[in-house]
RNA sequence: GCGCCUCUAGCUCAAUUGGCAGAGCAGCUGACUCUUAAUCAGCGGGUUCUGGGUUCAAGUCCCAGGGGGCGCACCA
């Protein structure tokens, strides 16, 4: 026990304090560490209240006595209250200092010394090569072997051993590649080595210059002849040996990126996936556009929008819930193959597969239909899988080691047909299993739904909603391979054209991958008269209190009346695509997810 | 929105029935020319999320608020 040692030696508080002062003599004067630092003053005041004549109990540490005294002292409570009031008046700069802790103060003192003697934040350092390049160039070096290759490299200090006259430090590059640097007193000199020990901390960016060698233990190293701080860190790095908590990782993603390969890989995978999508689109002659985020009417999907306000126009605007109606205007204008990868915003629930803002891909192909757009979607995803798979094939490997095959042509099943098939298999009640068709009444569907515990709000429940719910209950859990589910009920898809031969359904598919809906595709509705009817029906729903129903977009209808070519259209969640490729949750696929 | 769980040192976590708030890493001082989660000796570090309450005594029990998680609802 640390307190007992001092007590046994019979040392008084004053002796301890004197030793503390001597300890900091020279390099880190006590005055400097606490001057103008409110937290320091508070700490001293608290300690001074400990010196009020009470004695330490046997075996008790100083800190234990402090906390005992604090509890017993009303005066201490009042002083804390007073401090909080005073703190509210501190400037932002002082506040920054108030938030500091001991480890930060020590680093700030080192920063001061660096600035006084040279620079803690040089405009640049003379880097000659990358850590990765050095590792590749000298992969086969034997233990103890030396080279004449002189390099200048920089990286973040992630490991440090200050051992006597030979120091070791591991530098990490942004790509996660690491290399060791060795500083011997013989090479850099006594002063330089002492300065290194005194000034360099875990987390600093460090430049080193010297020969590439392998240590006696075989570790590839730079044998340093010259070093320089590239950027002094004033906060300590988190413990790199224990796993960081989920909340900490999300809120401090930059530290997550330093500490965890998987976090870094996610960013790269996402970039490669986006590049792959754009490349595949380009191969097919698609043009990328950017349509408005701020919209006066929200449309293109059934979702609750975020509302914001324009001061210039003095009007409320909606953050877009989908780019669809603008991309279709582009189709009218003759951009026959068009796509957009950008953010949508939906004011709805957030969980492991839903985020308030999410990246969405939408694509429209004039003179295509929902079959051609399904072909394209399959190709887009298979190309993306190749871009992120370890061997460039169509099988990706998740972080948990499981392999997921996206190759071949994916099944295309019928919504009603697959539902009836599964219903027949699982039917246990007396009599024959019911056949669900577009004619099946809401009452009948409601009874079937009730039997498996599905209830819908009677105000907005329709034939289509019940059929989709029943399908999700009976069929969806059994899907393992990527599957296109085709031909949906008309009433849930107001922007889609009726099926060319099957009455009562629309030419729409949902693509299910790993148990969730990854993309949806349509033969787009081109008839402006029917489009207007659908919008009016939706706005009546809105009047009836469904906040997700669409508004009538007169400007869009006008565009439609000039003639939109027949087209296939598709929408895909980029975050969900990443989830399918990596097996991670949506908060892991988004670099900086929204946190409260 | 509703229900349940959770919040302790810079980080990861302990703390028995309500009974002196601890460990590892990180940090400080010293030793060490082959360390790599080094080792050895010594030391510092806490508003136990916040505010009330019960109690001789609260990290622990109660109430309210905040952050986070999970489930339900809504949605992609």
């Amino acid at each position: 026990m640390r307190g007992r040692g001092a007590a046994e030696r019979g040392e008084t508080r004053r002796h301890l304090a004197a030793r503390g002062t001597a300890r900091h003599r020279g390099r880190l004067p006590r005055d400097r560490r606490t001057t103008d630092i409110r937290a320091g003053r508070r700490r001293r005041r608290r300690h001074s209240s400990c010196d009020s004549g009470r004695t330490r109990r046997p075996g008790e540490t100083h800190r234990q006595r402090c906390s005992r005294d604090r509890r017993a002292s009303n005066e201490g409570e009042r002083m804390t209250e007073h401090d909080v009031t005073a703190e509210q008046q501190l400037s932002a700069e002082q506040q920054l200092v108030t938030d500091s802790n001991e480890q930060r103060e020590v680093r700030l003192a080192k920063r001061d010394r660096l600035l006084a003697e040279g620079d803690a934040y040089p405009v640049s350092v003379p880097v000659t090569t990358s850590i990765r390049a050095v590792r590749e160039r000298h992969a086969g070096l034997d233990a103890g072997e030396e080279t004449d290759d002189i390099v200048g490299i920089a990286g973040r200090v992630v490991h440090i051993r200050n051992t006597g006259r030979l120091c070791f430090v591991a530098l990490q590059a942004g790509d996660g590649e690491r290399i060791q640097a060795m500083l011997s007193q013989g090479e850099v000199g006594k002063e330089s080595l002492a300065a290194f020990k005194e000034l360099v901390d875990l987390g600093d960016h460090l430049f080193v210059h010297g020969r590439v060698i392998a240590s006696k233990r075989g570790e590839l190293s730079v044998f340093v002849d010259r070093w320089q701080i590239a950027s002094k860190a004033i906060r300590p790095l988190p413990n790199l040996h224990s796993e960081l908590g989920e909340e900490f990782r999300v809120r401090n993603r930059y530290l997550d990126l330093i500490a965890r390969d998987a976090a870094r890989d996610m960013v790269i995978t996402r970039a490669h996936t986006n590049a792959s999508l754009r490349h595949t689109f380009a191969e097919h002659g698609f043009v990328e556009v950017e349509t408005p985020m701020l919209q006066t009417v929200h449309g293109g999907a059934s979702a609750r929008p975020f509302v914001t306000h324009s001061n210039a126009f003095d009007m409320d605007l909606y953050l877009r819930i989908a780019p669809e109606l603008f991309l279709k205007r582009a189709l009218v204008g003759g951009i026959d193959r068009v796509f957009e990868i950008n953010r949508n915003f939906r004011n709805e629930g957030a969980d492991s597969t839903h985020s308030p803002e999410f990246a969405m891909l939408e694509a429209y192909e004039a003179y295509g239909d929902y079959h051609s757009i399904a072909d394209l979607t399959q190709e887009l995803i298979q190309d993306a899988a190749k871009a992120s798979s370890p061997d460039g094939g169509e099988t990706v490997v998740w972080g948990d080691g499981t392999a997921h095959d996206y190759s071949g042509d994916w099944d295309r099943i019928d919504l009603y047909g697959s539902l009836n098939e599964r219903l027949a298999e699982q039917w246990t009640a007396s009599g024959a299993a019911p056949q669900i068709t577009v004619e099946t009444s809401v009452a009948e569907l409601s009874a079937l739904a009730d039997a498996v515990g599905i209830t819908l709000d009677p105000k907005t429940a329709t034939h289509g909603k019940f059929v989709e719910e029943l399908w999700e209950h009976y069929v969806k859990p059994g899907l393992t391979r990527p599957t296109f589910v085709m031909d949906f009920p008309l009433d849930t898809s107001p922007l889609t054209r009726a099926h060319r031969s099957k009455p009562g359904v629309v030419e729409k598919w949902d693509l299910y991958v790993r148990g969730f809906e990854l993309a949806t595709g349509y033969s787009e509705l081109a008839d402006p008269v029917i489009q207007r009817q659908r919008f009016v029906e939706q706005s009546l729903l809105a009047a009836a209190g469904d906040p997700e129903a669409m508004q009538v977009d007169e400007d869009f209808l006008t565009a439609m009346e000039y003639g939109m070519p027949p087209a296939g259209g598709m929408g895909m969640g980029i975050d969900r695509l990443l989830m399918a490729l990596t097996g991670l949750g949506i908060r892991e696929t988004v670099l900086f997810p929204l946190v409260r």
Side-chain angles (χ1 to χ4, degrees), chain A residues 17 25 44 102 127 132 134 136 170 247 270 282 286 314 324 331 356 365 374 416 429 434 469-470 483 534 553 558 585:
Chain A
R25 183 178 30 191
R44 279 206 302 273
E102 187 188 8
V127 167
R132 180 175 294 273
V134 172
E136 282 168 3
E247 188 191 346
R270 187 169 187 126
F286 278 74
D314 189 25
E324 173 161 351
L331 273 188
E365 180 188 28
Y416 284 88
E469 287 287 337
L470 285 167
T483 304
R534 301 270 174 82
D553 188 335
T558 301

Side-chain angles (χ1 to χ4, degrees), chain A residues 416 437-439 463-464 487-492 497-499 501-507:
Chain A
Y416 284 88
T437 71
V438 295
E439 307 287 340
H463 168 91
D487 300 339
F488 278 65
L490 189 145
D491 61 63
T492 49
R497 55 160 292 150
H499 196 280
S501 58
K502 293 189 210 166
V505 298
V506 295
E507 297 201 352

Side-chain angles (χ1 to χ4, degrees), chain A residues 30-31 39 48 116 120 155 171 196 245 259 285 359 394 421 514 526 530:
Chain A
R30 200 165 181 81
D31 284 355
S48 73
L171 301 183
F196 179 87
E394 286 165 345
E421 247 176 63
R514 315 300 326 163
I530 294 178

